[in-house]
Amino acid sequence: VADVAGDDATNIMRTFALGATVPHVPVTCMLHCAEHNQSALSSGGESSFVSIDAFKLSLLASASLTRGALTLICNLCKTIGDMEFQGQQWQRDYERSLGYELYERPLSPAYHNETFSTIVWDALARSEEGDVYLIGLTEMDPEVGRRLVRIHPGADYRVSVESMSRTAGVFIAP
């Protein structure tokens, strides 16, 4: 029988030791249980802690709030497809999309104060095959000092892309 709490305690101590040795290097520690206070653990240095339980619960919440979100995320885990597949059109589209990946790229300052939907359509129109989809944004939260990930923040969401804002787009593309 695995000692999950013991494994978590050991990994937390290892992460703190590593963080103390090389404080400028970001360290991410994967924990089993969501019982640990993530914000208190992450308050020191560049270390961050993520739990498998919290990840599962966030996937469940995403699936509850957005139809198809869990399917999309699970399909992104498989990145190979059979290009010789000869099924129905929807099946060929599905198989082709299995080879798509997630990318994060800084947005041009020309998009400053544009709506999210305007940028989505522009990225789609600029892609050679019409197969690059903007699905979200990453932005720095000045109050917390951490990066926020916003998956589809809303069609009318105004995007701030100032010179030092480090706003990036989250894209699905082949």
Side-chain angles (χ1 to χ4, degrees):
V1 176
D3 181 15
V4 174
D7 288 346
D8 280 355
T10 302
N11 288 334
I12 290 169
M13 295 309 293
R14 286 180 182 151
T15 303
F16 283 142
L18 186 59
T21 305
V22 282
H24 61 283
V25 175
V27 178
T28 301
C29 178
M30 179 68 81
L31 302 174
H32 293 280
C33 301
E35 299 166 351
H36 305 287
N37 184 343
Q38 307 293 325
S39 59
L41 288 173
S42 298
S43 64
E46 293 286 324
S47 300
S48 60
F49 296 85
V50 180
S51 75
I52 295 171
D53 286 348
F55 180 70
K56 288 179 188 176
L57 291 173
S58 69
L59 286 177
L60 182 61
S62 295
S64 299
L65 294 173
T66 307
R67 179 183 290 171
L70 191 55
T71 304
L72 172 71
I73 293 167
C74 290
N75 284 340
L76 289 173
C77 294
K78 181 180 177 191
T79 60
I80 59 170
D82 182 9
M83 295 304 170
E84 301 296 323
F85 186 73
Q86 298 296 323
Q88 296 178 7
Q89 181 62 42
W90 72 268
Q91 291 171 319
R92 290 193 305 268
D93 291 342
Y94 177 78
E95 286 290 320
R96 187 182 76 243
S97 71
L98 292 177
Y100 285 20
E101 296 183 17
L102 281 178
Y103 297 93
E104 180 183 359
R105 293 285 176 237
L107 291 177
S108 166
Y111 290 129
H112 180 68
N113 209 29
E114 292 289 342
T115 63
F116 181 73
S117 63
T118 301
I119 301 171
V120 168
W121 285 110
D122 188 56
L124 192 59
R126 288 175 183 265
S127 64
E128 291 179 15
E129 301 290 327
D131 56 359
V132 175
Y133 304 96
L134 175 65
I135 64 166
L137 303 168
T138 59
E139 302 170 310
M140 286 302 291
D141 183 353
E143 294 177 13
V144 182
R146 290 197 181 266
R147 189 175 62 150
L148 295 175
V149 178
R150 300 179 192 275
I151 301 299
H152 196 289
D156 297 327
Y157 181 81
R158 293 276 173 187
V159 178
S160 175
V161 187
E162 298 171 7
S163 61
M164 299 302 289
S165 69
R166 299 191 324 194
T167 300
V170 178
F171 298 89
I172 294 180

